[in-house]
Amino acid sequence: MASEETRTVKSTTNISGNVGSSAVSDSLAPTGKRIGEQPEKASTHAWTTRLFAVGIVLAALNLRPAITSLGALLEEVRDGLGMSGSVAGLLTSVPPLCFAVFGVMAPRLARRFGPAAVVCAGMVLITAGLLIRPYIGGTAGFLVGSALALMGIAVSNVLMPVIVKRWFPDRVGSMTGLYSMALALGTSAAAAVTVPMTDALGGSWRSGLALWAALAAAAVLPWIALVRHREAPSGPEASGGQRSRAREAGPAQPALRITRSRTAWALAVFFGLQATAAYITMGWMAQIFRDAGVSAGTAGLLLAVTMVMGVPLAFVIPRLATRLPRQGPIVIALGVCGLAGYAGLYLAPAGGAWAWAVLLGIANCAFPLALTMVGMRARTGAGVAQLSAFAQSTGYLISIPGPLLVGVLYQHSGGWGLPIALMAGLMVPQMAVGVLAGRNRTVEDEAAR
């Protein structure tokens, strides 16, 4: 089977809905020079390509700390704002809701302003939201600040893959590795160090959460430079000269009737169920360990272990998936790890805490697998873009009730037995639809029937 990189080179469209990651040495190299290109122009292009790589990494580092830093301090935030368990469950449901609602707006904004400008604005929104949400006052204000940051994350989630596709057309697979590894690193770092940083700042959860705005502010800087630089990338897509911002967002493509594809629906449900598991884990796992008698600092480290598993596996799984005609075996292996982890949380949450954290971290690597399958289930770049938009928007809508329901069950049952049973139960249909989504077929064939 052709590799993901090979398929990408053959595609001539500018937009992809898949995200990227990579080996650092490969990803920082320029995408190539056209015949007859002047040395000065080639040098400028190489500099811009490297700046895009830096911008992508910094942006990816900021796509989850708003969520996992809150998970590490959820008990303190609940006490400080007087939240009930049900309201806290609502708070953990806000991320997928924002991703579904605001992510849909991203392609239209990109066509008008350019993807780089919208990602830059997204980094500004993340910075502002993280800075104001602890201090704006009350539960409603905290939700508003969180939604502001999540709005920035949502548009960046959708549009950075567009930039990866355009500026790294011959190494989308390896850039997917770098992107996913940076995302996992930011996720795990926020889970691991938020509690120690809060203690170092005098124990104020407000300062501990607001400190992550500094990392987001650092990500704004390269994107400001990239917005000012409008040179088109070299490669088979560039016909010469500067491209307008409208062209940067990609040419108009005939739309597929994506809802007619069974594979698209299977992939959307798979994406939604894995997102449900991920946001329940990020929002509630530290609290499960703390209620079992684990200290707050150790609980944060356990959550970090779960998140950091995505750093190496996000590099390995996409490469393995592109070498298999069917991705069902990987789906089953990840699901079995998840079921084992949930069983351990139910039977001995404190006794085997580190093992359960590792197993659930492996199970959460269904996320890079889902992104990889998006790229494999469509033949063309336009098909990938449509499939990604459909799978992510539908999937995030599916994932909204999960964290909220966990909070309600926890509030009314007074323990974690029912919530953990729900998490384990959702893993079974996730495995089933993942096997269907992993079959060797394309949405173009199915949508054309």
Side-chain angles (χ1 to χ4, degrees):
M1 181 178 178
S3 70
E4 184 183 354
E5 284 88 347
T6 303
R7 286 197 311 276
T8 305
V9 173
K10 293 179 181 179
S11 174
T12 59
T13 186
N14 294 338
I15 297 182
S16 169
N18 198 9
V19 292
S21 143
S22 89
V24 175
S25 59
D26 288 342
S27 67
L28 297 183
T31 56
K33 184 174 75 172
R34 287 176 291 167
I35 297 175
E37 190 172 21
Q38 296 298 321
E40 182 178 353
K41 185 175 181 181
S43 176
T44 302
H45 173 72
W47 174 86
T48 306
T49 302
R50 287 174 172 81
L51 188 59
F52 265 113
V54 171
I56 288 168
V57 169
L58 285 175
L61 286 171
N62 284 281
L63 294 183
R64 294 299 181 268
I67 303 167
T68 51
S69 62
L70 175 59
L73 293 174
L74 185 58
E75 183 173 314
E76 287 76 9
V77 174
R78 286 177 58 191
D79 292 341
L81 298 178
M83 288 184 187
S84 66
S86 298
V87 174
L90 174 63
L91 184 61
T92 58
S93 295
V94 169
L97 174 62
C98 290
F99 292 166
V101 172
F102 298 123
V104 174
M105 300 163 52
R108 180 174 298 179
L109 292 171
R111 284 193 295 270
R112 179 162 184 171
F113 302 105
V118 179
V119 171
C120 182
M123 295 299 108
V124 172
L125 288 174
I126 295 171
T127 304
L130 290 179
L131 190 60
I132 69 172
R133 74 173 178 176
Y135 303 107
I136 198 170
T139 300
F142 192 91
L143 287 169
V144 169
S146 295
L148 190 64
L150 293 167
M151 183 189 306
I153 295 173
V155 295
S156 301
N157 272 339
V158 174
L159 293 181
M160 278 202 301
V162 175
I163 294 170
V164 168
K165 175 78 170 183
R166 182 158 178 76
W167 282 90
F168 302 91
D170 55 346
R171 50 180 69 91
V172 170
S174 55
M175 281 302 296
T176 300
L178 182 62
Y179 174 92
S180 298
M181 288 167 65
L183 190 150
L185 182 61
T187 304
S188 58
V193 305
T194 296
V195 171
M197 285 195 313
T198 301
D199 293 339
L201 293 171
S204 169
W205 62 266
R206 299 179 190 274
S207 300
L209 291 181
L211 193 61
W212 289 102
L215 180 62
V220 175
L221 301 178
W223 290 101
I224 291 175
L226 291 168
V227 170
R228 295 170 62 88
H229 186 88
R230 303 182 189 177
E231 179 197 358
S234 62
E237 305 166 17
S239 58
Q242 298 275 333
R243 302 233 181 165
S244 67
R245 289 188 176 184
R247 287 295 301 275
E248 183 184 350
Q253 298 288 339
L256 293 171
R257 299 177 66 180
I258 199 75
T259 55
R260 298 182 60 181
S261 169
R262 294 181 180 179
T263 298
W265 279 107
L267 190 51
V269 176
F270 178 70
F271 193 97
L273 291 175
Q274 67 80 28
T276 300
Y279 287 109
I280 290 174
T281 298
M282 286 187 278
W284 289 107
M285 197 177 83
Q287 189 66 49
I288 293 174
F289 286 127
R290 291 178 71 170
D291 286 352
V294 177
S295 68
T298 302
L301 286 175
L302 288 165
L303 179 58
V305 167
T306 300
M307 299 297 107
V308 83
M309 293 302 299
V311 176
L313 292 180
F315 183 72
V316 173
I317 288 176
R319 289 174 174 263
L320 176 61
T322 57
R323 286 164 172 76
L324 297 175
R326 296 171 180 263
Q327 289 70 51
I330 304 177
V331 171
I332 296 297
L334 297 179
V336 169
C337 288
L339 290 174
Y342 291 134
L345 280 182
Y346 182 82
L347 297 172
W354 296 99
W356 318 143
V358 169
L359 286 170
L360 291 174
I362 296 172
N364 277 348
C365 288
F367 174 68
L369 176 61
L371 295 173
T372 304
M373 287 197 291
V374 167
M376 298 181 69
R377 298 286 84 89
R379 284 197 306 269
T380 66
V384 169
Q386 283 188 255
L387 177 58
S388 179
F390 175 76
Q392 291 198 45
S393 60
T394 305
Y396 281 127
L397 285 173
I398 290 171
S399 71
I400 291 170
L404 175 60
L405 185 55
V406 166
V408 172
L409 290 175
Y410 173 59
Q411 177 79 15
H412 291 282
S413 69
W416 288 106
L418 286 178
I420 292 173
L422 172 66
M423 300 176 210
L426 291 176
M427 188 60 67
V428 176
Q430 177 180 321
M431 295 164 67
V433 294
V435 170
L436 293 176
R439 294 176 298 174
N440 188 14
R441 56 191 63 193
T442 65
V443 294
E444 285 91 349
D445 292 337
E446 294 180 340
R449 291 174 185 172

